[in-house]
């Protein structure tokens, strides 16, 4: 009886304390805004890699001109096209500003590190794909923001190629019981305040779908070997293919 009362008491305290523990600059709507913004920056950067895939895979060229600076500049341009506004990278000391800057720095670090690989002359396919780029940006960002923000590229369990991208329990639940349901509004993010490994957190997850350009690797016939040496998933056009998942620790 006592134990029950104590647990209930703790749960109540946790519930009441939750909004108070959100950093001032990240209260209420701000958490949703920065989540959406970070996924937009991530996608704007990844688009630069998809748009240049043929160039990256070209064995006849050495220097591809895809320096960190060039990719960051194009990321800003893609962001502006997608949102209609300039990417604000000013540092007002807020967690949101720090996270935006860290995302751009993660893109920069990923591209600096990738130079020898993508500039190798005489080699065609180099395995430097949007999802690989995205995975590296995500881990660079999450390492830099450890304990405050984390981002990850994931996918429906049945479609995951890289084990590091497997959905966790919460991601899997959202993907299977919401994103995959026929009535779910396409492209709509889902957010929830839910603890991660015992720490209070705000989670945000954005679904992504296979376009025509994805199906050469992820489409039919299922099981056929694609250019990367992996097995095609047999996915269909516009089917749910992945999700960008963000954690903001509170
Ligand atoms: C050239 C082949 C190729 C194309 C084209 C391609 N992918 Fe992939 N995709 C891969 C490979 C290989 C991986 C595993 C990457 C890794 O090892 O991290 C992957 C990983 C992913 C992941 C991360 C989850 C996982 O399985 O590890 C998502 C999400 C994804 N792809 C979605 C897409 C979407 C959406 C498109 C089109 C816009 C696309 N892919 C185009 C080959 C491809």
């Amino acid at each position: 009886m006592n134990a029950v009362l104590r647990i209930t008491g703790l749960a109540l305290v946790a519930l009441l304390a939750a909004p108070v523990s959100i950093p001032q600059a990240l209260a209420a709507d701000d958490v949703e805004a920065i989540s959406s913004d970070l996924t937009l920056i991530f996608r704007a950067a990844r688009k630069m890699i998809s748009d240049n895939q043929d160039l990256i895979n070209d064995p006849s060229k050495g220097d591809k001109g895809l320096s960190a600076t060039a990719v960051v500049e194009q990321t800003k341009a893609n962001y502006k096209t997608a949102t209609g506004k300039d990417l604000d990278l000013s540092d007002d000391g807020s967690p949101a500003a720090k996270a935006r800057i860290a995302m751009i720095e993660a893109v920069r670090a990923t591209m600096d590190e990738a130079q020898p690989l993508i500039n190798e002359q005489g080699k065609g396919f180099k395995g430097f794909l949007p999802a690989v780029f995205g995975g590296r940006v995500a881990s660079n960002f999450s390492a830099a923001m450890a304990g405050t923000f984390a981002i990850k590229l994931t996918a429906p369990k049945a479609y995951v190629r890289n084990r590091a991208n497997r959905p966790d329990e919460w991601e899997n639940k959202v993907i299977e019981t919401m994103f995959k349901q026929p009535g779910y509004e396409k492209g709509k993010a889902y957010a929830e305040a839910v603890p991660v490994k015992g720490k209070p957190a705000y989670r945000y997850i954005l679904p992504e779908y296979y376009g025509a350009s994805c199906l050469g690797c992820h489409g039919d016939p299922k099981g056929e070997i694609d250019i990367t040496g992996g097995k095609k998933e047999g996915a269909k056009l516009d089917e749910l293919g992945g999700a960008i998942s963000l954690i903001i620790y509170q």
Side-chain angles (χ1 to χ4, degrees):
M1 182 66 180
N2 238 346
V4 171
L5 275 179
R6 217 181 55 196
I7 290 165
T8 313
L10 274 179
L12 195 66
V13 167
L15 210 70
L16 293 172
V20 180
S21 67
I22 298 175
Q24 197 60 52
L26 273 181
D29 296 354
D30 288 358
V31 198
E32 177 117 35
I34 183 62
S35 301
S36 157
D37 215 27
L38 288 173
T39 50
L40 280 161
I41 302 170
F42 181 85
R43 293 174 77 163
R46 194 184 48 185
K47 184 174 189 306
M48 172 63 169
I49 304 307
S50 356
D51 289 349
N52 286 286
Q53 193 70 67
D54 291 346
L55 171 66
I56 292 169
N57 294 353
D58 184 349
S60 73
K61 276 211 183 78
D63 186 358
K64 307 295 188 297
L66 295 173
S67 65
T69 305
V71 171
V72 166
E73 283 316 303
Q74 191 58 42
T75 297
K76 290 181 188 168
N78 291 346
Y79 176 92
K80 185 156 189 180
T81 305
T83 64
K85 55 180 184 149
D86 285 320
L87 175 55
D88 179 7
L89 291 174
S90 59
D91 187 1
D92 60 7
S94 69
K98 291 199 182 320
R100 271 194 291 268
I101 293 165
M103 186 62 77
I104 289 296
E105 287 311 312
V107 169
R108 213 181 278 284
T110 301
M111 289 317 297
D112 277 341
E113 198 197 334
Q115 293 305 306
L117 172 69
I118 63 175
N119 292 336
E120 187 180 339
Q121 203 166 6
K123 186 171 180 176
F125 182 69
K126 303 169 184 70
F128 196 70
L129 299 164
V132 169
F133 166 82
R136 290 185 193 163
V137 170
S139 46
N140 283 335
F141 172 84
S142 304
M145 299 302 285
T148 50
F149 286 79
I151 198 165
K152 170 185 162 192
L153 187 60
T154 188
K157 247 185 194 164
Y159 283 172
V160 172
R161 292 198 183 197
N162 183 338
R163 286 175 64 81
N165 297 332
R166 271 176 309 172
D168 68 16
E169 205 182 319
W170 182 84
E171 289 160 341
N172 186 54
K173 188 187 76 189
V174 177
I175 287 172
E176 299 299 328
T177 67
M178 299 180 68
F179 291 172
K180 274 196 181 174
Q181 297 310 308
Y184 193 83
E185 186 185 326
K186 206 175 167 199
K188 189 173 178 232
Y190 175 74
E192 191 180 336
V194 55
V196 178
K197 294 188 182 123
K199 286 168 94 183
Y202 169 88
R203 301 198 69 169
Y204 177 98
I205 182 164
L206 181 72
E208 298 196 294
Y209 306 85
Y210 290 125
S213 73
C214 319
L215 298 180
C217 293
H218 294 289
D220 281 321
K222 186 176 174 176
E224 190 182 79
I225 302 299
D226 68 22
I227 181 182
T228 75
K231 280 192 185 139
K232 293 189 185 181
E233 285 83 359
K236 307 284 180 273
L237 188 65
D238 290 334
E239 190 180 335
L240 181 78
I244 303 173
S245 175
L246 185 81
I247 298 172
I248 303 180
Y249 291 101
Q250 296 174 352

